[in-house]
Amino acid sequence: MTIPVKQLSDPVVRAFVTALNANDEPGLFEVLAPGATMSDDGSDRDVRQWLDKEVFASRGHMDVESEADDGRSLVAAYRNDTWGEMRTKWDFSVEGGKVSRFETGQA
């Protein structure tokens, strides 16, 4: 069973997931802090390049299964046109109402 995005606890994480699922590039970059960083399976990546490839060009989508750490840690079924669907973990650092870092990888 999944958690409806509108019920995610952290408003910044909720905005991130909402924009990602809508393939809303301006909206997703609006929720990211200037200089935001990220990692995928433990390797740091360029945020813009990763989002372009893994989300926007391949229609990424998250179905959140659970949340922890006041909504800043998610387990989700993530799918895109490149890799299909996989179970993933997402951890978010939020500062000043923006995502300053997110880490994702297979759960």
Side-chain angles (χ1 to χ4, degrees):
M1 193 157 133
T2 61
I3 300 171
V5 175
K6 66 184 179 200
Q7 292 181 7
L8 294 175
S9 300
D10 187 282
V12 176
V13 172
R14 184 180 333 122
F16 180 97
V17 176
T18 298
L20 186 149
N21 285 352
N23 205 27
D24 176 4
E25 185 172 349
L28 191 52
F29 282 103
E30 175 63 28
V31 78
L32 293 175
T37 61
M38 63 90 50
S39 71
D40 183 4
D41 281 328
S43 296
D44 281 354
R45 306 281 188 209
D46 178 274
V47 173
R48 180 166 290 281
Q49 288 177 358
W50 189 89
L51 289 172
D52 284 345
K53 180 180 177 188
E54 301 295 340
V55 176
F56 303 123
S58 59
R59 298 185 306 164
H61 187 89
M62 295 172 69
D63 289 318
V64 178
E65 297 174 4
S66 65
E67 64 175 357
D69 299 326
D70 296 321
R72 293 190 178 172
S73 182
L74 308 176
V75 173
Y78 183 78
R79 66 181 177 276
N80 66 26
D81 291 345
T82 302
W83 305 108
E85 186 171 311
M86 65 190 80
R87 192 164 188 255
T88 57
K89 181 170 176 42
W90 298 72
D91 292 309
F92 296 89
S93 297
V94 176
E95 296 175 18
K98 304 272 187 180
V99 173
S100 59
R101 180 170 177 81
F102 67 94
E103 298 177 358
T104 187
Q106 293 193 45

